[in-house]
Amino acid sequence: MTGTDTHQPTLLLVDDEQNILSALRRLLRSEGYRILTANSGAEGIERLKAETIDVVISDQRMPGMAGVEFLRIARDMQPDCVRIVLSGYTELQAVTSAINDGAIYKFLCKPWDDAHLKANIAEAFERRHMADENRRLTEELKRKNDQLETLLAERSDQVQIRSEALSVFHEVLDALPIGVIGIDAEGLIAFCNDTAMTQLSGYPIGLGQRADAALPADLLGSATETVIDDTHLSITRAPLGQHSTSRGHLLALLSAGTFRTSTQD
């Protein structure tokens, strides 16, 4: 098979002797190939214009156009087709030159050994199949890489947006006239805004510290108010994790002065 499941492996035979073409068709009819024939290089070119050819086998000595010349044209027209010379004439210089520059894959001699010829043709089709598969995998890899690059770009944009949103969120929290302290599920201080740092300036508050060691005991109990440094604080507690994966709770500290100012406004 070639690169697609619906394409039957196609073999083009080019020889100016009809009896040779007939003998090859009889030999290969049971191999599962779609076999096309041409009696000259010019006719072979017309076949190449009209059909996708996987393997082409050409005689060397033909009127009007030598096999090597035809196969060089075939290479330009369909670079992926595997090209073989089957000839009773060696013409080593021309054939060797064609092999060296990639115009032909193999040179096989007439008269041929049936088993040897079949094996070489099967190998040529396998070579074509591998080339098609490599190209398909390369294209698939490129497509996946393009998708990955697009996804990474989108994720990068999302991370940037979230980072900017988080920065704004922290600025908003710091600007609030209410002290806000976040305590995680392990009892460590995860966040403390500027207002809370001012309200509790006499306490050694730091991120990552244990709340029970750094905060006044009233804040960690069930009290709803306390007095710190002659300032009356109203305490509100709210659990985390209702709308996120966060665990722990928030403390909101509202000083009486702030409360009175807000009421007057």
Side-chain angles (χ1 to χ4, degrees), residues 11 13 18-33 35 37 57 86 108-122:
L11 172 65
L13 304 174
Q18 187 59 47
N19 63 319
I20 296 293
L21 294 177
S22 298
L24 289 172
R25 288 183 69 94
R26 285 194 301 272
L27 175 66
L28 301 171
R29 68 177 52 174
S30 62
E31 299 301 304
Y33 308 135
I35 300 175
T37 61
I57 300 178
L86 177 63
L108 302 176
C109 292
K110 295 177 181 176
W112 61 82
D113 175 81
D114 288 352
H116 183 258
L117 180 60
K118 285 183 178 181
N120 276 276
I121 294 174

Side-chain angles (χ1 to χ4, degrees), residues 145-165:
N145 283 338
D146 290 343
Q147 291 177 344
L148 180 59
E149 288 180 4
T150 300
L151 179 61
L152 289 175
E154 291 174 352
R155 292 291 174 86
S156 178
D157 291 341
Q158 292 174 1
V159 169
Q160 180 66 24
I161 292 171
R162 289 178 181 177
S163 177
E164 292 175 359

Side-chain angles (χ1 to χ4, degrees), residues 23-234:
L24 289 172
R25 288 183 69 94
R26 285 194 301 272
L27 175 66
L28 301 171
R29 68 177 52 174
S30 62
E31 299 301 304
Y33 308 135
R34 175 171 173 250
I35 300 175
L36 306 176
T37 61
N39 291 114
S40 66
E43 188 177 337
I45 290 171
E46 293 304 312
R47 287 288 197 181
L48 288 165
K49 290 179 181 178
E51 305 279 354
T52 297
I53 306 299
D54 298 303
V55 178
V56 55
I57 300 178
S58 175
D59 186 23
Q60 169 60 7
R61 285 194 176 181
M62 297 183 294
M65 184 182 299
V68 167
E69 181 184 354
F70 161 68
L71 292 176
R72 282 196 169 94
I73 296 173
R75 176 190 58 187
D76 295 336
M77 295 178 65
Q78 295 193 32
D80 292 330
C81 74
V82 182
R83 300 166 296 277
I84 296 174
V85 168
L86 177 63
S87 179
Y89 302 92
T90 55
E91 299 186 14
L92 291 179
Q93 183 175 356
V95 171
T96 301
S97 175
I99 292 175
N100 289 340
D101 67 18
I104 66 173
Y105 168 58
K106 276 190 177 182
F107 175 83
L108 302 176
C109 292
K110 295 177 181 176
W112 61 82
D113 175 81
D114 288 352
H116 183 258
L117 180 60
K118 285 183 178 181
N120 276 276
I121 294 174
E123 180 184 297
F125 275 103
E126 180 61 23
R127 181 183 178 89
R128 171 61 186 262
H129 171 69
M130 291 179 64
D132 288 343
E133 185 66 8
N134 287 340
R135 183 174 55 255
R136 185 190 67 80
L137 291 174
T138 299
E139 292 171 353
E140 178 70 9
L141 180 60
K142 182 181 183 304
R143 188 176 66 83
K144 294 292 185 182
N145 283 338
D146 290 343
Q147 291 177 344
L148 180 59
E149 288 180 4
T150 300
L151 179 61
L152 289 175
E154 291 174 352
R155 292 291 174 86
S156 178
D157 291 341
Q158 292 174 1
V159 169
Q160 180 66 24
I161 292 171
R162 289 178 181 177
S163 177
E164 292 175 359
L166 184 61
S167 177
V168 171
F169 173 72
H170 279 286
E171 288 186 19
V172 170
L173 284 178
D174 283 335
L176 288 175
I178 299 173
V180 180
I181 301 172
I183 301 174
D184 68 16
E186 297 179 356
L188 303 179
I189 296 175
F191 177 78
C192 184
N193 73 348
D194 289 347
T195 302
M197 294 290 287
T198 300
Q199 291 168 330
L200 304 173
S201 59
Y203 294 85
I205 301 174
L207 299 183
Q209 288 185 315
R210 290 200 60 80
D212 55 9
L215 299 177
D218 286 350
L219 301 186
L220 302 176
S222 58
T224 59
E225 58 183 33
T226 188
V227 177
I228 297 176
D229 294 335
D230 297 327
T231 300
H232 182 269
L233 295 177
S234 176

